[in-house]
Amino acid sequence: MGTVQGSTQQITLSRRLSGIARYVLLAIPLLFLAVFFLLPLGLTILVGFFERAGFWIRPAFTLAAYQAFLGGPRLFVLQRSLFVAAEVTVLALALAYPMAYFLSMHVRPQVTRTVLLLFTVPFVVNYVIRNFSWAYLLSRTGPVNRLLEALHLTAGSLDWLLYSDFSVLVGLISSYMPFMIYPLWLALAGVDRRLIEASWVLGAPPLLTFLRVTLPLSIPGIFTALIFGFVGSFGESAVPIILGGVGYQLMGNTITSALDVLNYPLAAAMSSIVVVVMLLFLAAWYLLFDVPAFLGKIVRWRV
Amino acid sequence: MKRRVGVGLVAWIYVFSILLFLYLPLVPPILFSLAPVAGGNAPTVHWYGELWRNPVLVTSIKTSLLTGILTALLTPPLGLLAAMGVRELRAPRAVLLLLLMPLFIPGVSMGLGNAFLFRLLNIPPSLWTILIAHVLWALPFAFLIILTAMTTFDPVYLEAAYVHGAGRLRAFLDVELALIAPGITGAATFSFILSLNETVRTGLVQGPLNTVQTYIWSTYLQVGLSPTIYALMSLLILLTVALVLVIRPMMARRAIRVTL
């Protein structure tokens, strides 16, 4: 009797150990993110309240960095960044949504796969390189100006094409729109066709069906794309340098210029503002939408 | 019927205009990289040879390739564990959100945060700090690719393996891993591509080192772009395009079919 009991105890113990081992394994990526993602963000927010000490920082609790940023001429940078990010998001959504709609509703799956693959290429090619190209394409003697003149649309070179709000918008849209296509397509591809058919059967015209059924059901995808576009362009550092010209400042390149003069608390305070904007968006997303259900269009949860 | 054809045509023209807008910037670097050598006026591939005569540049190419390969090796296992974790841990919503979060943060803020962490822990900038920044950036993508591959896998195969006497590990290795292997290879390739094309995060944690991309960026800031740099950009563009095309057959076809 005793031996039998002993062996069953051993079995349950080894079961439990293998169960613990599984959890430890599965926790590795979460631990990695806790240390190298969450902790750095926490440190950034902390350093924003530290004070400068020579070439580095000293732990303290001071609002000096925030006062320097929000009370000085740099406040304009925040306003401009918010405005530019909102413009980019609205324009990129307006461009990407109809395309995602067309691809998900009216195109055969094999063709859709090919088109989505075509969008992957410019998405992964380094966007700094792509923005260098825009600086050339939009320049005073560049192809865009020459084409416009050849078509007799303009009399001379347009000088507002480059180093302007316009060129920054072009650069940011081409940098972040590819990001936005996938969630939009994912949401639209996941809309249950039977609901659309039901709407038709009940006599709603196509436009009404879209407004009452398809559009509301694709809102989680729209919101995801909106976060990509807004947070990305709000904190962008390379595009304003390449396409904005001298003195064109957005949050991102103002952070890097604070780093150039070793003002770490100021850089951290500005970066904290960007991070908090992102966290607010993500919190809203988390509370409003069912994340697994949204991804569930791709990931069918198997329990 | 006729109207439908017209609408479809307009829609396709629209899709291709957007593709043109996104592909157009890939062309100028390639044209400038073929610039004639002083005195000539015919296009040459001279500048592609010049690349290898610059020791700093050659070192940065080596750093990039090494970082890329290590990122490709380290990220998929993490992505696989994460995808399994979402399936099996409690609170899958929170786990999902944490895994996708790095996608939503601008490169400057992430790089700055990492730089603070390394500096406060007295970890000097090295290949390893660059590698951590790259794995962090590639992980959400690798995770999503592997998660997609997993949807094509039916757990009934695992049941079959258990019935035939396989243990949990055995069944996982021989059955599940074998079937989602294309997703893992795809995730590895994509991680390499992302690492090769990263600038902003790298610049803040690299210290005295340089990857190809940060070399291009600092050259642009200090002396401007030259045909040699354009040749380097062209090589990077061509390599990236080639790798994306390599991924295509790897991607689980059935997953997309399930989705649609």
Side-chain angles (χ1 to χ4, degrees):
Chain A
M1 273 312 264
T3 48
V4 173
Q5 239 176 357
S7 65
T8 44
Q9 261 172 2
Q10 254 178 352
I11 289 170
T12 50
L13 185 69
S14 73
R15 274 249 174 97
R16 197 171 297 165
L17 276 177
S18 81
I20 290 169
R22 282 173 63 78
Y23 274 111
V24 169
L25 265 180
L26 295 178
I28 290 174
L30 301 179
L31 201 68
F32 178 83
L33 287 172
V35 175
F36 295 113
F37 179 73
L38 293 178
L39 190 58
L41 297 191
L43 284 174
T44 302
I45 290 169
L46 205 61
V47 172
F49 297 110
F50 284 7
E51 52 191 18
R52 296 182 71 175
F55 296 134
W56 187 224
I57 46 174
R58 195 176 25 238
F61 182 79
T62 164
L63 292 173
Y66 283 94
Q67 278 160 349
F69 178 58
L70 299 170
R74 291 193 194 83
L75 183 62
F76 172 69
V77 175
L78 178 62
Q79 290 165 343
R80 180 190 251 170
S81 296
L82 288 168
F83 186 68
V84 166
E87 273 183 312
V88 169
T89 310
V90 170
L91 289 169
L93 267 176
L95 285 172
Y97 191 91
M99 195 169 55
Y101 181 85
F102 173 66
L103 289 177
S104 63
M105 300 282 169
H106 299 292
V107 177
R108 279 181 299 126
Q110 297 88 331
V111 181
T112 302
R113 282 184 59 230
T114 310
V115 175
L116 286 176
L117 185 87
L118 286 173
F119 278 106
T120 312
V121 173
F123 169 65
V124 290
V125 169
N126 179 294
Y127 77 103
V128 172
I129 294 179
R130 288 187 281 133
N131 282 297
F132 287 150
S133 295
W134 278 118
Y136 158 72
L137 292 167
L138 297 171
S139 62
R140 192 180 279 273
T141 55
V144 175
N145 256 320
R146 267 181 284 167
L147 181 71
L148 288 173
E149 280 177 72
L151 295 172
H152 297 292
L153 292 170
T154 53
S157 285
L158 297 173
D159 47 14
W160 53 263
L161 286 183
L162 184 60
Y163 303 135
S164 61
D165 283 320
F166 174 80
S167 56
V168 170
L169 284 183
V170 169
L172 288 171
I173 289 171
S174 73
S175 301
Y176 291 96
M177 192 180 66
F179 246 115
M180 298 162 82
I181 289 165
Y182 302 99
L184 291 173
W185 170 78
L186 197 60
L188 284 160
V191 170
D192 192 336
R193 296 306 150 89
R194 287 169 301 184
L195 297 171
I196 297 172
E197 283 159 17
S199 170
W200 289 346
V201 170
L202 294 168
L207 185 64
L208 193 66
T209 301
F210 172 75
L211 291 175
R212 288 282 177 78
V213 181
T214 319
L215 185 65
L217 286 171
S218 65
I219 282 176
I222 295 176
F223 199 78
T224 313
L226 182 147
I227 307 178
F228 275 135
F230 191 91
V231 181
S233 41
F234 182 61
E236 176 48 49
S237 57
V239 174
I241 294 174
I242 303 168
L243 294 168
V246 179
Y248 193 99
Q249 291 201 299
L250 293 179
M251 290 296 279
N253 59 326
T254 312
I255 292 171
T256 49
S257 32
L259 287 173
D260 290 339
V261 297
L262 304 179
N263 192 342
Y264 295 103
L266 181 62
M270 282 188 285
S271 189
S272 300
I273 293 172
V274 176
V275 170
V276 166
V277 167
M278 172 196 83
L279 291 175
L280 288 174
F281 270 116
L282 285 181
W285 191 51
Y286 190 74
L287 294 171
L288 290 172
F289 307 115
D290 188 356
V291 187
F294 170 58
L295 274 177
K297 319 288 189 240
I298 270 201
V299 186
R300 294 193 308 173
W301 302 90
R302 289 208 170 89
V303 186
Chain B
M1 213 50 227
K2 209 161 191 168
R3 201 185 74 93
R4 296 266 348 227
V5 171
V7 171
L9 186 67
V10 169
W12 277 118
I13 290 172
Y14 178 69
V15 170
F16 280 107
S17 315
I18 291 188
L19 280 169
L20 182 71
F21 167 73
L22 294 172
Y23 273 83
L24 196 61
L26 305 186
V27 181
I30 297 171
L31 292 180
F32 293 146
S33 72
L34 302 171
V37 189
N41 53 12
T44 60
V45 287
H46 166 83
W47 309 108
Y48 288 84
E50 284 296 300
L51 282 180
W52 313 102
R53 296 202 184 92
N54 178 341
V56 182
L57 182 49
V58 171
T59 311
S60 74
I61 290 175
K62 283 180 186 160
T63 307
S64 266
L65 289 176
L66 193 57
T67 316
I69 289 166
L70 287 172
T71 307
L73 290 173
L74 286 174
T75 316
L78 281 174
L80 177 66
L81 288 172
M84 293 172 75
V86 166
R87 233 176 19 181
E88 303 187 25
L89 294 174
R90 287 186 202 104
R93 287 185 68 198
V95 172
L96 253 180
L97 190 73
L98 179 60
L99 279 158
L100 297 181
M101 254 175 140
L103 284 180
F104 294 104
I105 185 162
V108 168
S109 296
M110 198 64 252
L112 183 66
N114 281 333
F116 282 142
L117 178 77
F118 295 139
R119 180 111 187 228
L120 290 166
L121 292 175
N122 282 325
I123 300 171
S126 68
L127 193 71
W128 302 107
T129 56
I130 298 176
L131 184 63
I132 284 170
H134 284 199
V135 171
L136 198 55
W137 173 227
L139 181 56
F141 294 95
F143 162 74
L144 281 174
I145 290 169
I146 292 171
L147 204 55
T148 312
M150 276 185 169
T151 58
T152 63
F153 174 77
D154 192 333
V156 91
Y157 296 130
L158 283 179
E159 302 292 337
Y162 298 148
V163 167
H164 286 92
R168 267 201 143 160
L169 184 67
R170 183 94 235 170
F172 169 74
L173 290 176
D174 285 358
V175 180
E176 182 162 19
L177 198 61
L179 283 166
I180 60 173
I184 293 173
T185 342
T189 315
F190 209 78
S191 301
F192 181 85
I193 293 173
L194 289 170
S195 167
L196 188 71
N197 285 290
E198 214 306 302
T199 303
V200 176
R201 293 165 182 79
T202 316
L204 288 157
V205 296
Q206 65 178 8
L209 290 171
N210 255 324
T211 63
V212 175
Q213 301 290 359
T214 53
Y215 177 85
I216 293 174
W217 181 241
S218 56
T219 309
Y220 162 78
L221 290 180
Q222 286 157 19
V223 292
L225 302 170
S226 63
T228 313
I229 296 287
Y230 284 120
L232 179 62
M233 288 184 197
S234 306
L235 287 179
L236 289 166
I237 291 172
L238 295 172
L239 181 58
T240 302
V241 172
L243 286 169
V244 172
L245 295 178
V246 165
I247 288 187
R248 195 206 147 123
M250 287 187 209
M251 286 311 184
R253 278 151 204 259
R254 274 177 50 207
I256 295 279
R257 209 165 293 157
V258 166
T259 329
L260 299 170

